[in-house]
Amino acid sequence: MQLQRVVWVAVYLIIFFSILPEDGPFQALLYTTINVTFYLLVIYGNIRVLFPRLYEKGHIALYVIAVILLLLGGGLGRGYLMMYISNTYFPMAKPEIMQISNMIYFVLSGTLTYLLSFVFRIAIAYFSLKQQSEKILAQKTYAELNLLKSQVQPHFLFNTLNNIYYEAYREAPRTAGLIERLSDIMRYFVDESPKDEVSMQTEVSFIENYIALEKIRIRHKTDIGFVKEYHAESRIPPMLLMTFVENVFKHGIDKSSKENKIEISLIQQEGFLLFQTCNRIHDKVSKEEPHGFGIENLRKRLIMLYGTKFELNIEKNGGHTFTAFLKVPIS
């Protein structure tokens, strides 16, 4: 906007000083104001009103008619207004009369102004785009700065946990091992989960750490089987399998029972990853369906990631066991 104001002030001064030697300051001021107003009307009337509201919406014939009316009406109005001012305030021996040549001149100058409006429109679009780019760059820089700030506290926490681990290791090695697993889980959330893909080894380690920490919440020993056959370097979206694992411990464990059993299978074969969890159904566990919002949200995510190239099955087997199965392509 500031640049446009500078341009129009420059145009106004150029026209004013070009008329000044012949017509005097007051007459030059009036004529300049009329001419600049006409240029503003044609340029902004086209690029702000007619072009976006008619041409860009497909009303081409109506746009052409509107442009013709704008040029004829504006050009003739400009000519008659200047003639009226000349005859009224600066009378000559012989009053000025609107001639055909004058009419043609005003219409042609309006046509040139109309063509110039597209150059003006391109310039405005360029500077608007440049301003948006600078704004996006500033936002990106600000976001990166906030990210750096947000990483300070997690890294401080990791270092603190490591120090606690070494202190605990002297007195309680098992507790130290759990602290180490918790530290690994937190590091996964900060460093790995924002990524589009992580290695299978990273994802499996995360699941194993989660299982180890869940075990300490269970009163009695639980039979947990985890079958793993995969390529460590394969890639998978992070947190894709955790919904099943969370549901297993949320709905498949009765903390007062000694008969808890969980089976987890993760097998990679022929370009697909087959993941399955199976657990007993306990009457004392929450009556909430294990395939609630978590599974529905997972299904939506799978559709976004794989379209129709996945399988997701949830089954109750005879009312005694609950099985969840997932098959996704993997590279």
Side-chain angles (χ1 to χ4, degrees), residues 266-313:
L266 187 151
I267 299 175
Q268 182 179 347
Q269 62 181 22
E270 299 178 356
F272 287 92
L273 179 67
L274 312 179
F275 186 74
Q276 180 173 289
T277 61
C278 183
N279 60 269
R280 292 177 180 175
I281 298 176
H282 300 275
D283 295 334
K284 294 183 180 180
V285 181
S286 173
K287 299 299 182 182
E288 180 186 353
E289 286 295 321
H291 53 287
F293 294 111
I295 295 297
E296 288 305 314
N297 291 336
L298 174 62
R299 189 185 301 276
K300 293 177 182 178
R301 187 183 177 199
L302 289 169
I303 292 173
M304 293 175 62
L305 290 170
Y306 303 108
T308 59
K309 299 178 180 179
F310 73 92
E311 294 181 25
L312 176 61
N313 299 316

Side-chain angles (χ1 to χ4, degrees), residues 114-134:
Y114 162 75
L115 296 175
L116 181 63
S117 69
F118 289 102
V119 178
F120 215 82
R121 184 173 184 271
I122 293 172
I124 292 175
Y126 168 77
F127 285 107
S128 297
L129 184 61
K130 184 178 180 182
Q131 187 178 30
Q132 291 176 3
S133 300
E134 291 174 350

Side-chain angles (χ1 to χ4, degrees), residues 214-225 247-264 278-286 320-321:
E214 282 287 353
K215 279 184 177 181
I216 67 174
R217 301 173 60 244
I218 304 172
R219 185 183 310 170
H220 303 288
K221 185 177 180 180
T222 301
D223 184 7
I224 301 177
N247 280 341
V248 163
F249 285 95
K250 182 178 179 182
H251 303 284
I253 296 293
D254 181 359
K255 294 181 181 179
S256 63
S257 174
K258 297 182 180 180
E259 298 180 353
N260 291 305
K261 184 176 182 179
I262 294 174
E263 295 178 357
I264 302 175
C278 183
N279 60 269
R280 292 177 180 175
I281 298 176
H282 300 275
D283 295 334
K284 294 183 180 180
V285 181
S286 173
H320 301 292
T321 59

Side-chain angles (χ1 to χ4, degrees), residues 39-55:
Y39 299 147
L40 288 168
L41 175 66
V42 172
I43 290 177
Y44 289 106
N46 179 44
I47 65 175
R48 299 292 191 190
V49 181
L50 300 184
F51 193 84
R53 295 188 181 183
L54 296 178
Y55 187 87

Side-chain angles (χ1 to χ4, degrees), residues 71-127:
L71 297 179
L72 287 176
L76 295 177
R78 169 192 174 198
Y80 279 113
L81 181 60
M82 292 178 66
M83 185 183 66
Y84 172 79
I85 290 175
S86 177
N87 292 334
T88 303
Y89 298 103
F90 310 102
M92 302 172 61
K94 184 178 180 181
E96 283 192 44
I97 300 175
M98 193 69 165
Q99 299 178 354
I100 299 295
S101 59
N102 292 336
M103 294 172 59
I104 294 174
Y105 166 76
F106 287 125
V107 172
L108 285 178
S109 63
T111 303
L112 293 175
T113 305
Y114 162 75
L115 296 175
L116 181 63
S117 69
F118 289 102
V119 178
F120 215 82
R121 184 173 184 271
I122 293 172
I124 292 175
Y126 168 77
F127 285 107

Side-chain angles (χ1 to χ4, degrees), residues 49 51 124 131 138 142 164-165 181 190 200 209 211 232-233 238 271 275 320:
V49 181
F51 193 84
I124 292 175
Q131 187 178 30
Y142 181 74
I164 295 174
Y165 163 78
R181 289 185 181 275
V190 173
M200 279 298 305
N209 288 331
I211 292 173
E233 69 278 3
F275 186 74
H320 301 292

